[in-house]
Amino acid sequence: MPSGRLRISLPRAAGLVMPVLAEFMQRYPAIELDVDISNRLVDVIDEGFDAVVRTGDLQDSRLSSKALGAFRMTLVGTPAYFARAGVPRVPADLAGHACLFHRLSTSGKLERWPLRDFAAEESLPRRMICNTLDALLLVIARDLGIACVPDFMVREQLARGELRAVLDEHVEADGRFWLLWPSSRHALPKLRVFIDHMGERLFAPL
């Protein structure tokens, strides 16, 4: 049975990642987890991580990688909000809406709303800017506006009818989750089972 301490870094996507991580702990009780949850771009090798889960482009040639699954961005609000403010039919309609933006912790810049053939995003009303998506979702749930979030964060709310997606045909960005680890550590049993578990379970039904 694999054992030892495993230091990992995960993004702030607790609803997606933590159930899979809890399942890993049940399967491998002899492995001690040291978990860092952050959206900052950690230096895997210099900071002593065994593995990290991240989105975005791969840039460090010292790392091995495994694709874990894909997601896409989606614009969402509550049915009550749309009943009050109207449903946007084209991106230009967003100028009349309460737009809630996410500030990226890694760069301090606003996360772009990936709208096809729409160049006026900077002119959209900024009802709120926040550096965590979880906080934005709480504001959305109070019928206070529209935000652009990863689909995995709102799948259950969409399925229950608590949120409604709009302008899907105008959203163009897809993303991918990656598992990264130092190339020199691929043979460690504790890391191997973690890689296999995350690859099998992250986007599989629990």
Side-chain angles (χ1 to χ4, degrees), residues 18-31:
M18 292 311 296
V20 179
L21 200 61
E23 189 183 57
F24 177 81
M25 295 174 68
Q26 291 171 332
R27 290 180 67 181
Y28 301 101
I31 294 179

Side-chain angles (χ1 to χ4, degrees), residues 156-176:
E156 292 184 4
Q157 295 93 322
L158 289 169
R160 292 193 297 262
E162 297 167 3
L163 293 178
R164 176 178 175 182
V166 295
L167 299 175
D168 271 351
E169 65 275 21
H170 296 279
V171 178
E172 61 182 1
D174 293 320
R176 187 168 292 275

Side-chain angles (χ1 to χ4, degrees), residues 187-199:
L188 295 176
K190 63 181 180 180
L191 179 57
R192 186 73 261 163
V193 294
F194 181 74
I195 294 168
D196 290 344
H197 179 81
M198 297 301 286

Side-chain angles (χ1 to χ4, degrees), residues 104-156:
L104 296 167
S105 58
T106 53
S107 66
K109 297 180 180 179
L110 297 190
E111 186 168 15
R112 177 178 168 266
W113 287 16
L115 294 164
R116 187 181 298 108
D117 302 323
F118 183 68
E121 182 181 343
E122 291 185 359
S123 68
L124 295 179
R126 297 176 181 178
R127 182 71 174 84
M128 180 182 180
I129 299 172
C130 186
N131 66 347
T132 71
L133 289 171
D134 289 336
L136 282 185
L137 289 175
L138 290 174
V139 174
I140 296 170
R142 294 296 185 96
D143 313 320
L144 291 173
I146 301 174
C148 187
V149 299
D151 62 354
F152 61 80
M153 294 192 72
V154 292
R155 284 173 184 159
E156 292 184 4

Side-chain angles (χ1 to χ4, degrees), residues 2-70:
S3 62
R5 181 172 175 266
L6 196 65
R7 187 164 188 243
I8 58 177
S9 181
L10 306 173
R12 289 180 178 175
L16 176 70
V17 179
M18 292 311 296
V20 179
L21 200 61
E23 189 183 57
F24 177 81
M25 295 174 68
Q26 291 171 332
R27 290 180 67 181
Y28 301 101
I31 294 179
E32 174 191 336
L33 292 181
D34 183 348
V35 183
D36 170 84
I37 298 179
S38 169
N39 284 338
R40 71 183 181 89
L41 192 62
V42 301
D43 188 309
V44 180
I45 294 176
D46 290 349
E47 295 185 48
F49 286 100
D50 294 297
V52 303
V53 176
R54 283 296 179 269
T55 63
D57 298 327
L58 305 182
Q59 299 176 341
D60 195 332
S61 60
R62 301 172 300 169
L63 303 177
S64 297
S65 64
K66 180 182 181 66
L68 297 177

